[in-house]
Amino acid sequence: MLFRGLTPIAFAVLASAATTVVLPTSSFTSYTTFQQYWNYLYPWGSDHNGSARMIGNSTEHTYISVANNVLTLTAKPAPAGQPPSTSNPHPAIHYFSGTVHAKQQVVVDGTSITGYDVQGEFIASTAKGTWPAFWLTAVNGWPPEADIGEWKGTQQNWFNTFNTSSAVASKIVTWPNDGQFHALKAELRPISGNTKDLSIKYYLDGVLQATHTAANFRGAAMWLILDLQMEGSSGSPGPAAGATFQTRNVQLTKYTP
Ligand SMILES: *[C@@H]1O[C@H](CO)[C@@H](O)[C@H](O)[C@H]1NC(C)=O
Ligand SMILES: *[C@@H]1O[C@H](CO)[C@@H](O)[C@H](O)[C@H]1NC(C)=O
Ligand SMILES: *[C@@H]1O[C@H](CO)[C@@H](O)[C@H](O)[C@H]1NC(C)=O
């Protein structure tokens, strides 16, 4: 009588798939809830491989702001003469902008049967020279990297899974650029009998777009990042007026079949 003494509800959870919310959709309701679940900037600081330097903290919300359950990242032109990016390949800095990363890391251990769902809704700039993204990247070394949303200055979203820097699966889909929020989701799942690789299913507005096998993602912790980079992979020059990237209903759930 393994289940004797459990309530019917507990039995139902044991008997069928269970989800556990680790980052709730309410994280952008106030700066208090935001700061409970997110850190300002990249895990490694303010700079990366585009022309935007990220600025923001608990008292500076020009580039990173939350209101009405929406996170807005804003890029604005920077005064000339900024020092170049500290990250490879050290591009010139032309903008100040915003980045945040979730405090909760994503990792699927080699023997775990539990996966993750990573999702959100977005209004993303698709202008040339704007490079917003919603992505997972390695905490230690690199890869793994999985890009759930990456807009590279065209009206397309890139779903990318990096086995290595040269073995990359990319699915490019038309982005419905109508000024409305659209949903992106990645389902990260263990593969039965495989302790090294993950299956990642990518969705746009609830419709499956691609299934990638992600080599050696098991046991590798990843950060979840939302950033509004500029130029870099999105071409240049970026817009003189800057750009915005809006996100709502980000949710991270653990999924156990
Ligand atoms: C917040 O960021 C601004 C702009 O970079 C900086 O001047 C200020 O010292 C920072 N405040 C804190 C508390 O870190
Ligand atoms: C990544 O590695 C997996 C597992 O070996 C393989 O199935 C997949 O085809 C690889 N993807 C690319 C783009 O090479
Ligand atoms: C920038 O870095 C990201 C993440 O590490 C990588 O996916 C991308 O290929 C790099 N792009 C350029 C232009 O360096």
Side-chain angles (χ1 to χ4, degrees):
M1 292 302 287
L2 181 61
F3 301 126
R4 193 178 58 177
L6 294 179
T7 64
I9 289 170
F11 181 81
V13 167
L14 286 170
S16 64
T19 57
T20 309
V21 175
V22 291
L23 195 170
T25 55
S26 59
S27 76
F28 302 144
T29 50
S30 69
Y31 286 108
T32 305
T33 50
F34 170 74
Q35 286 164 187
Q36 187 180 344
Y37 292 102
W38 299 86
N39 287 319
Y40 294 88
L41 311 184
Y42 292 111
W44 54 86
S46 61
D47 295 0
H48 194 222
N49 55 6
S51 73
R53 173 161 291 141
M54 308 308 180
I55 296 177
N57 55 44
S58 59
T59 56
E60 170 54 70
H61 293 126
T62 307
Y63 308 95
I64 302 168
S65 59
V66 297
N68 305 317
N69 220 12
V70 173
L71 169 75
T72 302
L73 303 179
T74 303
K76 297 171 187 266
Q82 304 300 319
S85 171
T86 56
S87 292
N88 272 323
H90 307 292
I93 295 297
H94 298 148
Y95 294 89
F96 295 145
S97 185
T99 295
V100 302
H101 66 278
K103 293 185 176 181
Q104 174 76 44
Q105 297 175 359
V106 174
V107 59
V108 181
D109 290 336
T111 53
S112 175
I113 59 166
T114 297
Y116 277 89
D117 289 354
V118 187
Q119 60 196 308
E121 296 171 12
F122 307 90
I123 299 175
S125 172
T126 57
K128 179 183 176 184
T130 66
W131 191 13
F134 177 59
W135 53 299
L136 296 162
T137 194
V139 171
N140 301 301
W142 184 88
E145 177 180 335
D147 304 320
I148 305 155
E150 185 182 15
W151 297 265
K152 299 201 264 194
T154 64
Q155 292 196 8
Q156 293 169 312
N157 180 53
W158 293 57
F159 298 105
N160 304 305
T161 305
F162 287 74
N163 286 355
T164 66
S165 58
S166 55
V168 187
S170 293
K171 172 72 177 183
I172 304 165
V173 299
T174 300
W175 179 249
N177 201 18
D178 55 9
Q180 306 295 312
F181 282 98
H182 290 278
L184 295 172
K185 179 182 179 186
E187 291 178 353
L188 281 57
R189 297 284 182 270
I191 301 168
S192 179
N194 179 335
T195 59
K196 292 185 173 172
D197 307 332
L198 274 184
S199 164
I200 307 182
K201 285 186 170 6
Y202 294 99
Y203 296 83
L204 167 61
D205 287 332
V207 178
L208 180 64
Q209 305 293 327
T211 303
H212 294 164
T213 302
N216 302 312
F217 274 45
R218 305 293 293 276
M222 295 183 284
W223 296 112
L224 176 62
I225 298 175
L226 274 160
D227 67 340
L228 176 50
Q229 256 304 342
M230 297 293 281
E231 302 184 319
S233 292
S234 295
S236 62
T244 60
F245 177 34
Q246 291 186 293
T247 303
R248 69 180 186 190
N249 291 333
V250 171
Q251 185 175 252
L252 190 54
T253 44
K254 286 187 179 181
Y255 174 87
T256 305

